[in-house]
Amino acid sequence: MAQSVSLILLLLGALFMFLASIGLVRMPDVLMRMHSTTKSNTLGVGLIMLGVALRFDDFAIAVRSLAIVIFLFSTAPVAAHMIGRAAYLSGVPLWDGTLSDEMRGRYDLETHTLSSRGKDIASAQEAGSD
Amino acid sequence: MNILINITFGLLILAMFIAFVRLVRGPSLPARVVALDMMAALAVGIIAVYSVATGQPIFLDVAIVLALIGFLGTVAFAYFIEKGELPWRKA
């Protein structure tokens, strides 16, 4: 019983990672690609590790696979945040159909401060670019 | 029972190939780094499934180390993309 459940968990995790890789190719823009990969990758590896823990039925191995899951759950958001921030700040173009970009003109690249009064920085940047 | 493991391997390897397509084609460096991060997670999954297929739980240690290295690599890439001078950045 536990063996079949673990096999189904492994298959489900692999399916999630496969869907994540399809999103990685099909999505039009870096931030959308990250939206597809980071979440389903975490879920996929989590399911696979759960399957491994069930399969071997040993406390030490269960703890080891749980360590991988905890490590991944705590580091994947950090890595995704850093990559998204670096992509946005380095000026990678967003998708043409993007409806709102709240940070445009509100983040000063020189002083690294975020301002809610966006107009000052935006006008300063436009003046600087002209 | 064995065929399910084979299907799992097939899905993961196909996913690795598709992610590699994005790594080669990706127009910007952050897109490539996202693909590389995805490939590191896929490698962790493949190692875990391989340890199930062979019945050798010792391979899980490799998966732990690979997860650590993948995270460090992604963070380092992000740091240098944000700090460094890159061709597409507006001057």
Side-chain angles (χ1 to χ4, degrees), chain A residues 35-75:
Chain A
H35 158 78
S36 109
T37 59
T38 50
K39 280 177 279 191
S40 7
N41 254 349
T42 316
L43 182 60
V45 174
L47 285 175
I48 287 180
M49 287 306 161
L50 201 61
V52 169
L54 274 179
R55 172 73 173 206
F56 284 111
D57 198 19
D58 181 358
F59 183 70
I61 294 164
V63 167
R64 217 174 286 174
S65 56
L66 196 70
I68 298 182
V69 171
I70 288 174
F71 182 76
L72 210 79
F73 272 42
S74 56
T75 58

Short mmCIF file of all heavy atoms in Angstrom, two decimals, chain A residues 35-75:
data_model
loop_
_atom_site.label_atom_id
_atom_site.label_comp_id
_atom_site.label_asym_id
_atom_site.label_seq_id
_atom_site.Cartn_x
_atom_site.Cartn_y
_atom_site.Cartn_z
N HIS A 35 7.02 32.81 -12.31
CA HIS A 35 5.74 32.46 -11.69
C HIS A 35 5.44 30.99 -11.92
O HIS A 35 4.95 30.30 -11.03
CB HIS A 35 4.65 33.36 -12.29
CG HIS A 35 3.28 32.81 -12.18
ND1 HIS A 35 2.56 32.87 -11.03
CD2 HIS A 35 2.50 32.17 -13.08
CE1 HIS A 35 1.39 32.30 -11.22
NE2 HIS A 35 1.33 31.86 -12.46
N SER A 36 5.76 30.49 -13.12
CA SER A 36 5.44 29.09 -13.37
C SER A 36 6.46 28.16 -12.73
O SER A 36 6.10 27.10 -12.24
CB SER A 36 5.35 28.86 -14.88
OG SER A 36 6.43 28.12 -15.33
N THR A 37 7.74 28.53 -12.73
CA THR A 37 8.74 27.55 -12.27
C THR A 37 8.85 27.47 -10.75
O THR A 37 8.87 26.36 -10.22
CB THR A 37 10.13 27.86 -12.83
OG1 THR A 37 10.52 29.14 -12.40
CG2 THR A 37 10.14 27.77 -14.31
N THR A 38 8.94 28.60 -10.06
CA THR A 38 9.33 28.52 -8.64
C THR A 38 8.30 27.74 -7.84
O THR A 38 8.66 26.89 -7.03
CB THR A 38 9.50 29.91 -8.05
OG1 THR A 38 8.35 30.67 -8.36
CG2 THR A 38 10.70 30.59 -8.62
N LYS A 39 7.00 28.02 -8.09
CA LYS A 39 5.98 27.37 -7.27
C LYS A 39 5.87 25.89 -7.60
O LYS A 39 5.90 25.05 -6.70
CB LYS A 39 4.65 28.09 -7.47
CG LYS A 39 4.60 29.34 -6.64
CD LYS A 39 3.34 30.10 -6.87
CE LYS A 39 3.45 30.93 -8.11
NZ LYS A 39 2.35 31.90 -8.25
N SER A 40 5.76 25.56 -8.89
CA SER A 40 5.55 24.13 -9.17
C SER A 40 6.82 23.33 -8.93
O SER A 40 6.72 22.14 -8.65
CB SER A 40 5.04 23.92 -10.59
OG SER A 40 5.03 25.06 -11.32
N ASN A 41 8.00 23.97 -9.04
CA ASN A 41 9.22 23.25 -8.70
C ASN A 41 9.23 22.86 -7.23
O ASN A 41 9.56 21.72 -6.89
CB ASN A 41 10.44 24.13 -8.96
CG ASN A 41 11.17 23.69 -10.18
OD1 ASN A 41 10.90 22.64 -10.70
ND2 ASN A 41 12.10 24.49 -10.63
N THR A 42 8.89 23.82 -6.36
CA THR A 42 8.88 23.53 -4.93
C THR A 42 7.89 22.40 -4.62
O THR A 42 8.21 21.46 -3.89
CB THR A 42 8.50 24.79 -4.15
OG1 THR A 42 9.20 25.89 -4.70
CG2 THR A 42 8.85 24.65 -2.71
N LEU A 43 6.70 22.51 -5.21
CA LEU A 43 5.68 21.46 -4.98
C LEU A 43 6.15 20.13 -5.53
O LEU A 43 5.99 19.08 -4.87
CB LEU A 43 4.37 21.89 -5.63
CG LEU A 43 3.20 20.93 -5.43
CD1 LEU A 43 2.91 20.80 -3.95
CD2 LEU A 43 1.98 21.41 -6.16
N GLY A 44 6.78 20.13 -6.72
CA GLY A 44 7.22 18.89 -7.33
C GLY A 44 8.28 18.19 -6.50
O GLY A 44 8.16 16.99 -6.21
N VAL A 45 9.30 18.94 -6.07
CA VAL A 45 10.36 18.30 -5.27
C VAL A 45 9.80 17.87 -3.92
O VAL A 45 10.17 16.80 -3.40
CB VAL A 45 11.55 19.27 -5.10
CG1 VAL A 45 12.56 18.70 -4.15
CG2 VAL A 45 12.21 19.51 -6.42
N GLY A 46 8.86 18.65 -3.36
CA GLY A 46 8.24 18.26 -2.10
C GLY A 46 7.51 16.93 -2.23
O GLY A 46 7.67 16.04 -1.38
N LEU A 47 6.73 16.77 -3.31
CA LEU A 47 6.00 15.51 -3.50
C LEU A 47 6.96 14.35 -3.72
O LEU A 47 6.76 13.25 -3.18
CB LEU A 47 5.06 15.65 -4.70
CG LEU A 47 3.81 16.48 -4.47
CD1 LEU A 47 3.04 16.63 -5.75
CD2 LEU A 47 2.93 15.81 -3.44
N ILE A 48 8.03 14.60 -4.51
CA ILE A 48 8.99 13.52 -4.77
C ILE A 48 9.66 13.07 -3.47
O ILE A 48 9.82 11.87 -3.20
CB ILE A 48 10.02 13.96 -5.82
CG1 ILE A 48 9.36 14.01 -7.20
CG2 ILE A 48 11.19 13.00 -5.86
CD1 ILE A 48 10.28 14.44 -8.29
N MET A 49 10.04 14.05 -2.63
CA MET A 49 10.71 13.69 -1.37
C MET A 49 9.77 12.96 -0.43
O MET A 49 10.18 12.06 0.31
CB MET A 49 11.27 14.95 -0.71
CG MET A 49 12.48 15.50 -1.40
SD MET A 49 13.74 14.24 -1.56
CE MET A 49 14.74 14.91 -2.83
N LEU A 50 8.47 13.35 -0.46
CA LEU A 50 7.48 12.63 0.35
C LEU A 50 7.39 11.17 -0.13
O LEU A 50 7.32 10.24 0.69
CB LEU A 50 6.13 13.32 0.22
CG LEU A 50 5.10 13.06 1.31
CD1 LEU A 50 5.64 13.52 2.64
CD2 LEU A 50 3.81 13.77 0.98
N GLY A 51 7.42 11.00 -1.46
CA GLY A 51 7.39 9.65 -2.00
C GLY A 51 8.60 8.85 -1.59
O GLY A 51 8.48 7.66 -1.25
N VAL A 52 9.79 9.48 -1.60
CA VAL A 52 11.01 8.78 -1.19
C VAL A 52 10.92 8.37 0.28
O VAL A 52 11.25 7.23 0.65
CB VAL A 52 12.24 9.68 -1.43
CG1 VAL A 52 13.46 9.08 -0.78
CG2 VAL A 52 12.47 9.84 -2.91
N ALA A 53 10.41 9.30 1.13
CA ALA A 53 10.31 8.99 2.56
C ALA A 53 9.36 7.82 2.80
O ALA A 53 9.62 6.96 3.64
CB ALA A 53 9.84 10.23 3.33
N LEU A 54 8.25 7.78 2.04
CA LEU A 54 7.32 6.66 2.20
C LEU A 54 7.92 5.36 1.69
O LEU A 54 7.69 4.29 2.25
CB LEU A 54 6.03 6.95 1.43
CG LEU A 54 4.96 7.74 2.16
CD1 LEU A 54 3.77 7.95 1.27
CD2 LEU A 54 4.54 7.00 3.41
N ARG A 55 8.68 5.46 0.60
CA ARG A 55 9.20 4.27 -0.06
C ARG A 55 10.17 3.48 0.83
O ARG A 55 10.08 2.28 0.98
CB ARG A 55 9.89 4.69 -1.35
CG ARG A 55 10.64 3.62 -2.05
CD ARG A 55 9.71 2.65 -2.71
NE ARG A 55 10.42 1.70 -3.54
CZ ARG A 55 9.88 1.10 -4.57
NH1 ARG A 55 8.65 1.36 -4.91
NH2 ARG A 55 10.57 0.24 -5.26
N PHE A 56 11.13 4.23 1.46
CA PHE A 56 12.17 3.52 2.20
C PHE A 56 11.74 3.11 3.60
O PHE A 56 12.32 2.20 4.17
CB PHE A 56 13.44 4.38 2.27
CG PHE A 56 14.20 4.38 0.98
CD1 PHE A 56 14.26 5.52 0.20
CD2 PHE A 56 14.83 3.25 0.53
CE1 PHE A 56 14.94 5.52 -0.99
CE2 PHE A 56 15.51 3.24 -0.67
CZ PHE A 56 15.56 4.39 -1.43
N ASP A 57 10.73 3.82 4.17
CA ASP A 57 10.16 3.43 5.46
C ASP A 57 11.23 3.32 6.54
O ASP A 57 11.33 2.33 7.26
CB ASP A 57 9.41 2.09 5.30
CG ASP A 57 8.46 1.89 6.47
OD1 ASP A 57 8.16 2.89 7.14
OD2 ASP A 57 8.05 0.75 6.72
N ASP A 58 12.07 4.36 6.59
CA ASP A 58 13.16 4.37 7.56
C ASP A 58 13.23 5.78 8.14
O ASP A 58 13.12 6.76 7.39
CB ASP A 58 14.48 4.00 6.86
CG ASP A 58 15.65 3.97 7.82
OD1 ASP A 58 15.43 4.26 9.01
OD2 ASP A 58 16.77 3.66 7.39
N PHE A 59 13.38 5.88 9.46
CA PHE A 59 13.29 7.20 10.09
C PHE A 59 14.41 8.12 9.62
O PHE A 59 14.20 9.29 9.34
CB PHE A 59 13.33 7.04 11.60
CG PHE A 59 13.18 8.34 12.33
CD1 PHE A 59 11.95 9.00 12.32
CD2 PHE A 59 14.24 8.90 13.00
CE1 PHE A 59 11.80 10.20 12.97
CE2 PHE A 59 14.09 10.11 13.65
CZ PHE A 59 12.87 10.76 13.64
N ALA A 60 15.62 7.59 9.52
CA ALA A 60 16.77 8.42 9.13
C ALA A 60 16.59 8.99 7.72
O ALA A 60 16.88 10.16 7.46
CB ALA A 60 18.06 7.61 9.20
N ILE A 61 16.06 8.16 6.82
CA ILE A 61 15.88 8.62 5.44
C ILE A 61 14.73 9.61 5.36
O ILE A 61 14.80 10.59 4.61
CB ILE A 61 15.64 7.39 4.53
CG1 ILE A 61 16.92 6.57 4.50
CG2 ILE A 61 15.28 7.83 3.14
CD1 ILE A 61 16.70 5.20 3.98
N ALA A 62 13.68 9.37 6.18
CA ALA A 62 12.57 10.33 6.20
C ALA A 62 13.06 11.69 6.67
O ALA A 62 12.69 12.73 6.09
CB ALA A 62 11.46 9.81 7.10
N VAL A 63 13.92 11.70 7.70
CA VAL A 63 14.46 12.97 8.20
C VAL A 63 15.31 13.64 7.12
O VAL A 63 15.24 14.86 6.91
CB VAL A 63 15.28 12.74 9.48
CG1 VAL A 63 16.10 13.97 9.82
CG2 VAL A 63 14.37 12.41 10.61
N ARG A 64 16.08 12.84 6.38
CA ARG A 64 16.94 13.40 5.34
C ARG A 64 16.11 14.05 4.23
O ARG A 64 16.40 15.15 3.80
CB ARG A 64 17.81 12.28 4.77
CG ARG A 64 19.19 12.75 4.44
CD ARG A 64 20.04 11.58 4.03
NE ARG A 64 20.42 10.74 5.16
CZ ARG A 64 21.06 9.60 5.03
NH1 ARG A 64 21.38 9.17 3.83
NH2 ARG A 64 21.38 8.90 6.08
N SER A 65 15.07 13.34 3.81
CA SER A 65 14.25 13.93 2.74
C SER A 65 13.46 15.12 3.26
O SER A 65 13.24 16.09 2.52
CB SER A 65 13.33 12.87 2.14
OG SER A 65 12.55 12.29 3.14
N LEU A 66 13.06 15.08 4.52
CA LEU A 66 12.39 16.24 5.10
C LEU A 66 13.34 17.43 5.16
O LEU A 66 12.92 18.58 4.95
CB LEU A 66 11.89 15.89 6.51
CG LEU A 66 10.86 16.86 7.08
CD1 LEU A 66 9.56 16.71 6.33
CD2 LEU A 66 10.64 16.61 8.55
N ALA A 67 14.63 17.16 5.41
CA ALA A 67 15.61 18.25 5.42
C ALA A 67 15.70 18.90 4.04
O ALA A 67 15.76 20.14 3.93
CB ALA A 67 16.98 17.72 5.84
N ILE A 68 15.67 18.09 2.98
CA ILE A 68 15.70 18.66 1.63
C ILE A 68 14.47 19.54 1.41
O ILE A 68 14.57 20.66 0.90
CB ILE A 68 15.76 17.56 0.57
CG1 ILE A 68 17.03 16.75 0.71
CG2 ILE A 68 15.69 18.14 -0.81
CD1 ILE A 68 17.17 15.67 -0.32
N VAL A 69 13.30 19.04 1.84
CA VAL A 69 12.06 19.79 1.62
C VAL A 69 12.10 21.12 2.38
O VAL A 69 11.77 22.18 1.83
CB VAL A 69 10.84 18.95 2.04
CG1 VAL A 69 9.59 19.80 2.01
CG2 VAL A 69 10.68 17.78 1.12
N ILE A 70 12.54 21.07 3.66
CA ILE A 70 12.56 22.30 4.46
C ILE A 70 13.56 23.29 3.86
O ILE A 70 13.29 24.49 3.73
CB ILE A 70 12.91 21.97 5.92
CG1 ILE A 70 11.74 21.28 6.59
CG2 ILE A 70 13.25 23.23 6.68
CD1 ILE A 70 12.02 20.79 7.98
N PHE A 71 14.72 22.77 3.44
CA PHE A 71 15.72 23.64 2.84
C PHE A 71 15.17 24.29 1.57
O PHE A 71 15.32 25.50 1.35
CB PHE A 71 16.97 22.82 2.51
CG PHE A 71 18.07 23.63 1.93
CD1 PHE A 71 18.83 24.45 2.74
CD2 PHE A 71 18.35 23.58 0.59
CE1 PHE A 71 19.84 25.20 2.22
CE2 PHE A 71 19.36 24.35 0.06
CZ PHE A 71 20.11 25.15 0.87
N LEU A 72 14.49 23.51 0.75
CA LEU A 72 13.96 24.04 -0.51
C LEU A 72 12.85 25.05 -0.24
O LEU A 72 12.80 26.11 -0.89
CB LEU A 72 13.43 22.89 -1.35
CG LEU A 72 13.52 23.14 -2.83
CD1 LEU A 72 14.94 22.89 -3.26
CD2 LEU A 72 12.57 22.25 -3.55
N PHE A 73 11.98 24.75 0.73
CA PHE A 73 10.87 25.67 1.02
C PHE A 73 11.39 26.98 1.56
O PHE A 73 10.73 28.01 1.41
CB PHE A 73 9.91 25.03 2.03
CG PHE A 73 8.84 24.20 1.41
CD1 PHE A 73 9.13 23.35 0.36
CD2 PHE A 73 7.54 24.26 1.86
CE1 PHE A 73 8.16 22.58 -0.23
CE2 PHE A 73 6.56 23.49 1.27
CZ PHE A 73 6.86 22.65 0.24
N SER A 74 12.55 26.96 2.24
CA SER A 74 13.05 28.22 2.80
C SER A 74 13.94 28.96 1.81
O SER A 74 14.06 30.18 1.90
CB SER A 74 13.80 27.95 4.10
OG SER A 74 14.83 27.03 3.87
N THR A 75 14.58 28.28 0.85
CA THR A 75 15.48 28.99 -0.04
C THR A 75 14.85 29.37 -1.38
O THR A 75 15.26 30.35 -1.98
CB THR A 75 16.73 28.16 -0.34
OG1 THR A 75 16.33 26.92 -0.91
CG2 THR A 75 17.55 27.93 0.88
#
